[in-house]
PDB file of all heavy atoms in Angstrom:
ATOM      1  N   GLY A  48     -12.004  -1.729  -3.012  1.00  0.00           N
ATOM      2  CA  GLY A  48     -11.472  -1.581  -4.325  1.00  0.00           C
ATOM      3  C   GLY A  48     -11.864  -2.519  -5.433  1.00  0.00           C
ATOM      4  O   GLY A  48     -12.253  -2.371  -6.416  1.00  0.00           O
ATOM      5  N   CYS A  49     -11.530  -3.851  -4.982  1.00  0.00           N
ATOM      6  CA  CYS A  49     -11.800  -4.901  -5.856  1.00  0.00           C
ATOM      7  C   CYS A  49     -13.364  -5.163  -5.958  1.00  0.00           C
ATOM      8  O   CYS A  49     -13.837  -5.518  -7.037  1.00  0.00           O
ATOM      9  CB  CYS A  49     -11.194  -6.217  -5.344  1.00  0.00           C
ATOM     10  SG  CYS A  49      -9.508  -6.245  -5.577  1.00  0.00           S
ATOM     11  N   GLY A  50     -14.068  -4.761  -4.884  1.00  0.00           N
ATOM     12  CA  GLY A  50     -15.489  -4.905  -5.006  1.00  0.00           C
ATOM     13  C   GLY A  50     -16.124  -3.903  -6.072  1.00  0.00           C
ATOM     14  O   GLY A  50     -16.985  -4.236  -6.933  1.00  0.00           O
ATOM     15  N   SER A  51     -15.446  -2.658  -6.156  1.00  0.00           N
ATOM     16  CA  SER A  51     -15.978  -1.766  -7.122  1.00  0.00           C
ATOM     17  C   SER A  51     -15.705  -2.254  -8.532  1.00  0.00           C
ATOM     18  O   SER A  51     -16.427  -1.984  -9.545  1.00  0.00           O
ATOM     19  CB  SER A  51     -15.330  -0.412  -6.962  1.00  0.00           C
ATOM     20  OG  SER A  51     -13.938  -0.369  -7.295  1.00  0.00           O
ATOM     21  N   VAL A  52     -14.549  -2.910  -8.698  1.00  0.00           N
ATOM     22  CA  VAL A  52     -14.200  -3.499 -10.087  1.00  0.00           C
ATOM     23  C   VAL A  52     -15.246  -4.543 -10.429  1.00  0.00           C
ATOM     24  O   VAL A  52     -15.714  -4.624 -11.524  1.00  0.00           O
ATOM     25  CB  VAL A  52     -12.800  -4.117  -9.953  1.00  0.00           C
ATOM     26  CG1 VAL A  52     -12.545  -4.868 -11.280  1.00  0.00           C
ATOM     27  CG2 VAL A  52     -11.693  -3.019  -9.812  1.00  0.00           C
ATOM     28  N   ALA A  53     -15.632  -5.411  -9.442  1.00  0.00           N
ATOM     29  CA  ALA A  53     -16.428  -6.512  -9.791  1.00  0.00           C
ATOM     30  C   ALA A  53     -17.756  -6.090 -10.081  1.00  0.00           C
ATOM     31  O   ALA A  53     -18.436  -6.469 -11.010  1.00  0.00           O
ATOM     32  CB  ALA A  53     -16.523  -7.574  -8.557  1.00  0.00           C
ATOM     33  N   VAL A  54     -18.303  -5.084  -9.239  1.00  0.00           N
ATOM     34  CA  VAL A  54     -19.679  -4.516  -9.462  1.00  0.00           C
ATOM     35  C   VAL A  54     -19.749  -3.808 -10.802  1.00  0.00           C
ATOM     36  O   VAL A  54     -20.702  -3.901 -11.547  1.00  0.00           O
ATOM     37  CB  VAL A  54     -20.063  -3.526  -8.291  1.00  0.00           C
ATOM     38  CG1 VAL A  54     -21.297  -2.679  -8.621  1.00  0.00           C
ATOM     39  CG2 VAL A  54     -20.223  -4.210  -7.013  1.00  0.00           C
ATOM     40  N   ASN A  55     -18.692  -3.088 -11.142  1.00  0.00           N
ATOM     41  CA  ASN A  55     -18.705  -2.365 -12.471  1.00  0.00           C
ATOM     42  C   ASN A  55     -18.774  -3.354 -13.594  1.00  0.00           C
ATOM     43  O   ASN A  55     -19.355  -3.091 -14.661  1.00  0.00           O
ATOM     44  CB  ASN A  55     -17.363  -1.594 -12.563  1.00  0.00           C
ATOM     45  CG  ASN A  55     -17.464  -0.587 -13.685  1.00  0.00           C
ATOM     46  OD1 ASN A  55     -18.406   0.281 -13.581  1.00  0.00           O
ATOM     47  ND2 ASN A  55     -16.514  -0.457 -14.454  1.00  0.00           N
ATOM     48  N   LYS A  56     -18.041  -4.482 -13.462  1.00  0.00           N
ATOM     49  CA  LYS A  56     -18.089  -5.425 -14.572  1.00  0.00           C
ATOM     50  C   LYS A  56     -19.378  -6.245 -14.603  1.00  0.00           C
ATOM     51  O   LYS A  56     -19.952  -6.590 -15.704  1.00  0.00           O
ATOM     52  CB  LYS A  56     -16.892  -6.509 -14.432  1.00  0.00           C
ATOM     53  CG  LYS A  56     -15.529  -5.765 -14.741  1.00  0.00           C
ATOM     54  CD  LYS A  56     -14.483  -6.755 -14.625  1.00  0.00           C
ATOM     55  CE  LYS A  56     -13.100  -6.212 -14.950  1.00  0.00           C
ATOM     56  NZ  LYS A  56     -11.913  -7.284 -14.869  1.00  0.00           N
ATOM     57  N   LEU A  57     -19.965  -6.521 -13.402  1.00  0.00           N
ATOM     58  CA  LEU A  57     -21.184  -7.355 -13.402  1.00  0.00           C
ATOM     59  C   LEU A  57     -22.425  -6.654 -13.773  1.00  0.00           C
ATOM     60  O   LEU A  57     -23.402  -7.249 -14.195  1.00  0.00           O
ATOM     61  CB  LEU A  57     -21.322  -8.005 -11.965  1.00  0.00           C
ATOM     62  CG  LEU A  57     -20.335  -9.143 -11.601  1.00  0.00           C
ATOM     63  CD1 LEU A  57     -20.458  -9.396 -10.182  1.00  0.00           C
ATOM     64  CD2 LEU A  57     -20.664 -10.354 -12.443  1.00  0.00           C
ATOM     65  N   TYR A  58     -22.489  -5.391 -13.326  1.00  0.00           N
ATOM     66  CA  TYR A  58     -23.657  -4.574 -13.633  1.00  0.00           C
ATOM     67  C   TYR A  58     -23.533  -3.537 -14.642  1.00  0.00           C
ATOM     68  O   TYR A  58     -23.957  -2.426 -14.462  1.00  0.00           O
ATOM     69  CB  TYR A  58     -24.088  -3.992 -12.266  1.00  0.00           C
ATOM     70  CG  TYR A  58     -24.396  -4.985 -11.215  1.00  0.00           C
ATOM     71  CD1 TYR A  58     -23.461  -5.378 -10.208  1.00  0.00           C
ATOM     72  CD2 TYR A  58     -25.597  -5.789 -11.207  1.00  0.00           C
ATOM     73  CE1 TYR A  58     -23.660  -6.330  -9.327  1.00  0.00           C
ATOM     74  CE2 TYR A  58     -25.766  -6.822 -10.340  1.00  0.00           C
ATOM     75  CZ  TYR A  58     -24.863  -7.021  -9.350  1.00  0.00           C
ATOM     76  OH  TYR A  58     -25.063  -8.132  -8.585  1.00  0.00           O
ATOM     77  N   GLY A  59     -22.914  -3.798 -15.751  1.00  0.00           N
ATOM     78  CA  GLY A  59     -22.864  -2.952 -16.919  1.00  0.00           C
ATOM     79  C   GLY A  59     -22.184  -1.612 -16.763  1.00  0.00           C
ATOM     80  O   GLY A  59     -22.755  -0.516 -17.352  1.00  0.00           O
ATOM     81  N   GLY A  60     -21.128  -1.501 -15.942  1.00  0.00           N
ATOM     82  CA  GLY A  60     -20.491  -0.251 -15.937  1.00  0.00           C
ATOM     83  C   GLY A  60     -21.138   0.783 -15.161  1.00  0.00           C
ATOM     84  O   GLY A  60     -20.914   2.103 -15.361  1.00  0.00           O
ATOM     85  N   THR A  61     -21.940   0.345 -14.007  1.00  0.00           N
ATOM     86  CA  THR A  61     -22.719   1.353 -13.283  1.00  0.00           C
ATOM     87  C   THR A  61     -21.860   2.309 -12.509  1.00  0.00           C
ATOM     88  O   THR A  61     -22.121   3.328 -12.247  1.00  0.00           O
ATOM     89  CB  THR A  61     -23.593   0.586 -12.228  1.00  0.00           C
ATOM     90  OG1 THR A  61     -22.813  -0.370 -11.561  1.00  0.00           O
ATOM     91  CG2 THR A  61     -24.706  -0.130 -13.060  1.00  0.00           C
ATOM     92  N   ILE A  62     -20.647   1.726 -12.052  1.00  0.00           N
ATOM     93  CA  ILE A  62     -19.773   2.535 -11.292  1.00  0.00           C
ATOM     94  C   ILE A  62     -18.826   3.430 -12.255  1.00  0.00           C
ATOM     95  O   ILE A  62     -18.444   4.524 -11.834  1.00  0.00           O
ATOM     96  CB  ILE A  62     -18.760   1.694 -10.395  1.00  0.00           C
ATOM     97  CG1 ILE A  62     -19.716   0.944  -9.392  1.00  0.00           C
ATOM     98  CG2 ILE A  62     -17.702   2.417  -9.743  1.00  0.00           C
ATOM     99  CD1 ILE A  62     -18.960   0.071  -8.343  1.00  0.00           C
TER     100      ILE A  62
END
Side-chain angles (χ1 to χ4, degrees):
C49 289
S51 69
V52 173
V54 168
N55 196 52
K56 290 182 176 180
L57 286 169
Y58 300 100
T61 52
I62 294 180

